[in-house]
């Protein structure tokens, strides 16, 4: 009787070998699963806090028939990146607008507890990235596939895992992409609130008639509708360069204000009430979570084995990111204390011309970043809808979807214009799921049979703890954020 083959995620973009090996007992009676298209959408290096967990489509070559399959030797990358280039891209993908919210995160934790907890949460996020990439490498070797995106890894892990998980493989792929879309659209909503709040502060100094933040959100949304109709990213590249320059200059000047006339640390609380910790958790996860960029960067490396391990590109990059975020959070809260706002730029003096220019520079940078951040979720959604629409109606349908999503983001931002709990909500809901719960679940599925959970099932206990931590963060962060929104609407905030 011929050997049953384990269901496998296969990309038509690669000439990868057919899956082989002895891990067939988990798939007895299971149908063969072949995906004709593995790549999701192109990855974009947006200047936000998160980036898409998808890969670029590569030209694949043939694979050899030897048993010691090395996926790295079969990757056909047109322009592979060096370790230094990957390090720079990792910093660019992780250092975004979230750094401006770190002082607010410390205000919900306390000066000293925030210092320790930020390092702890950052280390945990980095470890989960290690888990995801390591599982991707195992699956690539086991299934003989050169490279995978995040959703591909999740789907193949469930196909390789216990038989009970096989039927959920399509669902986990859908869930990963759904949370990715929610995360990126949520970031777009946050960007709208951020831009409108900073512009409102500056304009209110010069105009007697003060417009509310909600009105400014609607004003900002109008030009974005037209900018987001641009489907070719090549035309958005200049805006990305301008955004990067403005963001860098704005943050440097913000640092100058922040380190001027610092009070003594004893004047700030070292620890705050436990009820405020979920807001800290959600904000830090939103700011620090770099899992969105890792799969695309690892797939593009000339030496992918240098991405994880010790030392590694990931460890150096995330170590620097964690240090910078902790620095801004600690000294920002030390500087402004209980007056710390959702973005450190909102604390800059209104009457100061230089401070006003900083607010506008960063607002413009975030405004341009919106279009790049918006590109990825629209690509994922349109890819799922395109085949259901007649060819002659596809253009008008795609433009309609783009307009509808921008208007939706604007509507959500108008309804929820409080930047602080909005950031915490997105971090708690989306990034605790993508950054902790899903990688831990993937490892449990990948290690189910070979090599197993280890002595005393330590991998099972470890991943169960990660999942529990992510679920607690998800539930508590969501609950507290909703309470904050409710207090605002009821006038009690």
């Amino acid at each position: 009787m011929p050997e049953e083959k384990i269901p496998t995620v296969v990309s038509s973009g690669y000439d990868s070998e057919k899956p082989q090996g002895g891990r067939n007992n988990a798939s007895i009676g299971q149908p063969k699963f072949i995906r004709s298209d593995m790549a999701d959408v192109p990855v974009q290096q947006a200047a936000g806090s998160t980036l898409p967990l998808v890969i670029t489509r590569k030209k694949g070559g043939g694979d050899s028939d030897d048993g010691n399959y090395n996926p790295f030797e079969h990757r056909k990358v047109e322009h592979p990146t060096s370790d230094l280039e990957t390090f720079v891209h990792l910093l660019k993908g992780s250092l975004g607008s979230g750094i401006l919210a770190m002082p607010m995160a410390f205000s919900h934790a306390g000066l000293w507890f925030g210092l320790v907890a930020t390092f702890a949460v950052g280390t945990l996020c980095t470890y989960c990235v290690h888990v995801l990439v390591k599982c991707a490498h195992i699956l690539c070797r086991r299934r003989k596939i050169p490279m995978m995106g995040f959703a591909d890894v999740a789907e193949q892990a469930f196909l390789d895992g216990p038989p009970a998980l096989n039927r959920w493989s399509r669902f986990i792929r859908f869930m990963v992409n759904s949370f990715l879309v929610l995360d990126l659209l949520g970031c777009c909503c946050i960007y709208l609130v951020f831009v409108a709040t900073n512009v409102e502060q500056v304009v209110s100094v010069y105009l007697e008639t003060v417009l509310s933040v909600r009105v400014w959100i609607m004003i900002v949304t109008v030009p974005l509708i037209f900018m987001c109709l641009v489907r070719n990213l090549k035309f958005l590249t200049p805006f990305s360069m301008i955004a990067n320059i403005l963001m860098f200059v704005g943050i440097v000047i913000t640092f100058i204000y922040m380190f001027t006339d610092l009070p003594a640390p004893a004047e700030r609380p070292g620890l705050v009430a436990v009820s405020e910790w979920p807001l800290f958790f959600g904000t830090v996860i939103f700011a620090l979570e770099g899992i969105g960029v890792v799969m695309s960067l690892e797939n593009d490396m000339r030496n992918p084995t240098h991405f994880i391990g010790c030392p590694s590109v990931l460890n150096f990059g995330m170590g620097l990111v964690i240090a910078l975020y902790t620095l801004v959070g600690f000294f920002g809260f030390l500087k402004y204390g209980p007056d710390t706002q959702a973005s450190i730029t909102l604390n800059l003096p209104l009457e100061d011309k230089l401070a006003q220019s900083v607010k506008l520079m960063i607002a413009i940078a975030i405004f341009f970043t919106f279009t790049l951040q918006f590109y990825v979720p629209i690509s994922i959604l349109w890819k799922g809808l395109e085949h259901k629409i007649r060819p002659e109606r596809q253009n008008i349908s795609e433009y309609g979807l783009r307009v509808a999503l921008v208007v939706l983001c604007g509507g959500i931002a108008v309804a929820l214009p409080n930047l602080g709990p909005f950031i915490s909500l997105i971090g708690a809901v989306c990034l605790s799921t993508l950054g902790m719960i899903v990688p831990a679940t993937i490892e449990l599925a990948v290690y189910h049979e070979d090599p197993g959970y280890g002595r005393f099932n330590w991998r099972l206990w470890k991943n169960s703890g990660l999942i529990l931590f992510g679920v607690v963060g998800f539930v508590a962060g969501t609950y507290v954020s909703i309470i904050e929104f409710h207090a605002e609407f009821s006038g009690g905030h």
Side-chain angles (χ1 to χ4, degrees), residues 141-415:
R141 288 189 175 94
R142 185 182 294 167
R143 299 292 103 225
K144 298 190 176 182
I145 298 173
M147 61 178 71
M148 293 185 182
F150 189 7
D152 306 316
V153 174
E155 183 178 22
Q156 187 61 63
F158 271 47
L159 289 171
D160 265 27
L165 291 181
N166 296 164
R167 61 188 300 181
W168 298 100
S169 60
R170 298 299 298 271
F171 172 78
I172 191 66
R173 182 186 189 90
F174 171 78
M175 192 187 80
V176 167
N177 281 329
S178 297
F179 272 99
L180 178 59
V181 170
L182 287 175
D183 171 35
L184 296 174
L185 289 180
C187 287
C188 289
C189 297
I190 291 171
Y191 288 173
L192 283 172
V193 177
F194 181 94
V195 172
T197 305
N198 281 272
V199 171
E200 186 270 338
Q201 270 199 351
V202 175
V203 174
S204 63
V205 176
Y206 299 97
L207 293 183
E208 294 182 1
T209 304
V210 178
L211 300 177
S212 69
V213 173
R214 286 185 167 92
V215 174
W216 278 109
I217 291 174
M218 291 187 284
I219 293 174
V220 171
T221 302
V222 174
L224 284 174
I225 291 176
F226 295 98
M227 290 187 66
C228 288
L229 294 179
V230 178
R231 294 188 291 184
N232 193 333
L233 278 177
K234 179 178 66 175
F235 299 117
L236 297 177
T237 302
F239 296 106
S240 175
M241 296 175 61
I242 294 172
N244 291 335
I245 295 171
L246 292 177
M247 178 68 76
F248 176 78
V249 174
I251 289 179
V252 169
I253 299 175
T254 301
F255 281 8
I256 296 174
Y257 280 100
M258 191 173 64
F259 287 107
T260 303
D261 299 325
L262 286 172
E267 297 182 24
R268 304 292 180 235
L271 181 67
V272 301
V274 177
S275 59
E276 295 191 45
W277 291 3
L279 288 174
F280 165 81
F281 171 81
T283 305
V284 172
I285 288 291
F286 173 85
L288 275 176
E289 187 56 75
I291 199 168
V293 73
V294 296
M295 292 307 300
S296 58
L297 292 183
E298 187 271 344
N299 286 334
D300 282 340
M301 287 187 70
R302 182 178 295 113
N303 299 302
T305 55
H306 294 177
F307 190 75
I308 59 173
C310 188
S312 65
V313 172
L314 178 63
N315 286 345
F316 280 118
M318 289 305 296
L320 181 57
V321 168
I322 294 169
L324 288 175
Y325 274 59
T326 305
L327 182 74
V328 173
F330 183 89
F331 286 101
F333 179 56
L334 177 62
K335 170 71 174 180
Y336 298 108
D339 298 323
T340 302
Q341 298 197 43
S343 170
I344 192 66
T345 58
L346 300 177
N347 284 107
L348 302 183
L350 282 174
E351 66 283 355
D352 195 314
K353 301 291 185 183
L354 182 60
Q356 293 173 9
S357 68
V358 170
K359 296 173 190 285
L360 292 179
M361 279 191 293
I362 295 183
I364 294 172
I366 297 300
F367 178 86
F368 288 149
T369 301
F370 183 100
T371 57
L372 297 173
Q373 196 85 337
F374 180 81
Y375 180 86
V376 180
I378 192 65
S379 298
I380 295 175
L381 292 174
W382 180 244
K383 182 180 178 182
L385 296 173
E386 184 178 11
H387 67 281
K388 300 179 182 179
I389 301 173
R390 296 196 304 270
E392 64 271 14
R393 297 187 59 85
Q394 286 185 356
N395 277 337
I396 188 67
S397 299
E398 183 179 358
Y399 284 130
L401 178 63
R402 288 172 175 269
V403 171
L405 281 182
V406 176
V407 172
L408 175 64
C409 291
I412 294 173
V414 168

Side-chain angles (χ1 to χ4, degrees), residues 54-71:
V54 292
I55 62 174
T56 49
R57 191 182 306 277
K58 304 296 179 188
K59 297 179 180 179
D63 296 339
S64 60
D65 290 325
D66 65 299
N68 299 320
Y69 178 81
N70 185 349

